[in-house]
């Protein structure tokens, strides 16, 4: 097969807020080859990512992503890896390229899985997919009382694990953070798995983060996620050395496998969290999963949008039985719900497993592509670069 077309769909809720909620807009990718269609999702600013696909070349290693994809042969996972290497080299000075490529890469896996009649995890070498414990991923409430109610709601919905993140946490007084942590534990109950995401709020201030450690430990928080800037590796290692009970977590910001591997090696995190929509897709995420497993670090998916992205995020470690926890978008915006006509739901045990059906195993709802569509036109020198011309 040859990659014939790559199309982008910029979708958005009518209103975008400053909440750290990535499900408010979306960039969906459709790839056609050999009479088949694959779908993927980028986790990034849609407009900037579209621009990285169509931008005029600036020089030899600042080419648009399209230059390394269109017309390429797609017959095996090795072809996807070959295209990834081309994008990495030909677009090395185009910083958005990994984000744009991520959605294309996922769509190529989806298409290849459909061509072979196999789910993606099997193309990655896993015999079977193991059930994961989904954690309800949500934002801290504006008040401790709201956090308490959110935790209770997640527990009522059947979740054994809950993650709270962002919101006021970390930017307010230590005492106020302690109230939120106590409320989260109270709402979740004594047995639940409690996770906390600081959203990089302390940048590289180890003492500010350490001031919260006693309350994190007392509430038996399993991991503290992104206390610092993604590149502040020394701060991660220093804070991690000051507690035996709470593991450091991070990795969602990695837009190549090396960033994630450095966080493991030098940041000494206990959990590595990978977003397939950023790191370059499913292939590099699987490499990180292998790297983590060999070092006793648990791999966790990062995803906060649609079930297309959720399925992609689960594939790289679907076959690893001992890495049990997975992120599950608990209250995504309607756009992310409507985007697919099939969904990955918890079973009777409250666990989820990736679909056995070919590719990602999640059906796109094409009506939603029209309903939430944002009109975009990119013109350079009088020539229209986007929308892309229809297939000849
Ligand atoms: Mg996070």
């Amino acid at each position: 097969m040859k990659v014939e077309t790559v199309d982008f769909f910029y979708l958005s809720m009518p209103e975008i807020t400053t909440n750290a909620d990535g499900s408010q807009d979306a960039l969906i990718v459709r790839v056609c080859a050999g009479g088949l269609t694959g779908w993927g999702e980028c986790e990034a600013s849609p407009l900037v990512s579209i621009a990285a696909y169509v931008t005029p070349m600036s020089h030899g290693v600042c080419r648009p992503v399209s230059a390394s994809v269109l017309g390429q042969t797609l017959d095996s996972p090795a072809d996807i890896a070959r295209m990834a290497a081309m994008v990495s080299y030909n677009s090395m000075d185009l910083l958005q390229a990994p984000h744009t490529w991520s959605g294309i890469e996922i769509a190529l896996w989806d298409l290849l899985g459909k061509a072979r009649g196999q789910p993606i995890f099997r193309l990655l070498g896993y015999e079977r997919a193991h059930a994961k414990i989904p954690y309800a991923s949500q934002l801290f409430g504006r008040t401790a009382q709201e956090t308490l109610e959110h935790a209770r709601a997640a527990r009522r919905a059947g979740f054994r694990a809950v993650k709270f993140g962002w919101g006021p946490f970390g930017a307010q007084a230590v005492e106020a953070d302690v109230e939120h942590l106590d409320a989260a534990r109270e709402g979740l109950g004594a047995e639940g798995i409690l996770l906390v995401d600081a959203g990089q709020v302390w940048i590289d201030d180890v003492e500010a983060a350490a001031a919260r450690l006693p309350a994190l430990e007392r509430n038996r928080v399993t991991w503290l996620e992104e206390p610092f800037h993604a590149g502040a590796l020394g701060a991660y290692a220093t804070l991690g050395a000051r507690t035996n009970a709470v593991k450091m977590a991070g990795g969602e910001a990695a837009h190549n496998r090396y960033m994630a591997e450095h966080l493991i090696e030098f940041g000494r995190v206990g959990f590595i969290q990978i977003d397939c929509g950023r790191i370059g897709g499913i292939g590099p995420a699987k490499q990180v999963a292998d790297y983590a497993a060999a070092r006793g670090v648990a791999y966790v998916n990062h995803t906060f949008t649609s079930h297309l992205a959720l399925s992609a995020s689960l594939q790289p470690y679907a076959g690893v039985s001992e890495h049990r926890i997975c992120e599950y978008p608990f209250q995504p915006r309607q756009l992310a719900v409507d985007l697919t006509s099939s969904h990955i739901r918890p079973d009777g045990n409250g666990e989820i497993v990736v679909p056995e059906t070919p590719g990602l195993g999640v059906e796109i709802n094409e009506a939603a592509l029209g309903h939430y569509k944002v009109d975009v036109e990119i013109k350079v020198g009088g020539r229209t670069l986007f929308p892309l011309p229809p297939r000849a």
Side-chain angles (χ1 to χ4, degrees):
M1 300 183 282
K2 299 276 185 206
V3 177
E4 293 153 20
T5 56
V6 177
D7 292 299
F8 290 88
F9 300 86
Y10 178 178
L11 312 177
S12 178
M13 293 294 290
E15 189 196 356
I16 300 285
T17 73
T18 56
N19 276 355
D21 173 358
S23 68
Q24 301 183 78
D25 67 6
L27 183 62
I28 302 302
V29 185
R30 179 178 65 196
V31 173
C32 295
L36 294 167
T37 301
W39 296 91
E41 182 173 346
C42 305
E43 176 48 52
S45 159
L47 180 59
V48 183
S49 300
I50 291 170
Y53 187 78
V54 299
T55 185
M57 170 167 62
S58 292
H59 57 75
V61 290
C62 197
R63 304 190 210 189
V65 174
S66 55
S68 305
V69 176
L70 280 180
Q72 291 296 316
T73 297
L74 173 63
D75 290 320
S76 70
D79 288 322
I80 300 177
R82 181 178 47 76
M83 279 183 256
M86 286 174 67
V87 172
S88 179
Y89 191 81
N90 292 335
S91 304
M92 72 169 77
D93 286 350
L94 183 58
L95 296 186
Q96 192 73 8
H99 299 246
T100 305
W101 164 247
S102 292
I104 300 171
E105 201 263 15
I106 292 166
L108 292 170
W109 280 105
D110 187 39
L111 197 151
L112 194 61
K114 287 169 179 167
R116 296 199 176 175
Q118 295 284 350
I120 292 169
F121 66 80
R122 217 157 270 140
L123 301 186
L124 293 173
Y126 295 126
E127 202 126 295
R128 55 168 292 214
H130 294 272
K132 307 286 184 195
I133 302 169
Y135 66 81
S137 188
Q138 51 189 335
L139 305 177
F140 274 109
R142 282 165 297 181
T143 62
Q145 183 62 31
E146 255 185 41
T147 294
L148 175 72
E149 284 158 15
H150 290 174
R152 283 180 174 155
R155 190 183 177 190
R156 268 199 308 275
F159 286 93
R160 283 181 269 157
V162 172
K163 184 174 89 183
F164 284 104
W166 301 81
F169 189 79
Q172 57 192 358
V174 175
E175 297 72 30
D177 280 354
V178 171
E179 284 178 20
H180 277 270
L181 293 171
D182 291 347
R185 171 52 74 194
E186 184 187 335
L188 179 59
E191 300 305 315
I193 299 168
L194 178 58
L195 314 164
V196 169
D197 182 357
Q200 302 193 8
V201 68
W202 300 301
I203 306 172
D204 61 0
D205 185 346
V206 173
E207 292 310 320
R212 279 79 178 177
L213 279 181
L216 290 162
E217 290 173 345
R218 180 165 48 76
N219 283 296
R220 288 173 292 110
V221 170
T222 300
W223 79 53
L224 176 62
E225 173 175 337
E226 285 208 315
F228 309 117
H229 184 282
L233 305 182
Y236 280 86
T238 305
L239 184 66
R242 287 172 65 165
T243 171
N244 288 323
V246 182
K247 293 261 201 303
M248 299 297 115
E252 69 184 79
H255 48 245
N256 56 60
R257 58 179 281 211
Y258 306 109
M259 287 177 73
E261 290 171 5
H262 290 163
L263 195 54
I264 291 171
E265 191 174 350
F266 305 113
R268 311 200 71 79
V269 296
F271 292 88
I272 189 78
Q273 305 165 292
I274 300 302
D275 198 312
C276 285
R278 288 182 189 156
I279 199 165
I282 291 169
K286 170 66 163 58
Q287 289 175 309
V288 173
D290 292 345
Y291 185 96
R295 286 157 183 80
V297 168
Y299 184 99
V300 188
N301 65 325
H302 176 269
T303 189
F304 208 77
T305 60
S306 75
H307 284 204
L308 192 73
L310 173 63
S311 175
S313 78
L314 292 168
Q315 305 287 342
Y317 78 128
V320 185
S321 60
E322 57 271 31
H323 296 175
R324 286 279 281 150
I325 299 180
C326 78
E327 182 160 39
Y328 188 88
F330 181 52
Q331 289 167 322
R333 298 301 173 100
Q334 198 59 40
L335 152 62
V337 177
D338 292 348
L339 196 50
T340 59
S341 54
S342 59
H343 296 90
I344 300 170
R345 303 283 188 209
D347 62 17
N349 288 330
E351 300 189 349
I352 66 165
V353 62
V354 290
E356 279 284 333
T357 33
L360 291 170
V362 173
E363 292 297 319
I364 277 278
N365 170 21
E366 298 207 26
L369 300 180
H371 182 74
Y372 291 100
K373 184 175 175 225
V374 177
D375 277 326
V376 177
E377 190 180 31
I378 301 176
K379 259 187 174 175
V380 175
R383 195 162 66 91
T384 300
L385 301 182
F386 194 88
L388 298 159
R391 196 159 140 190

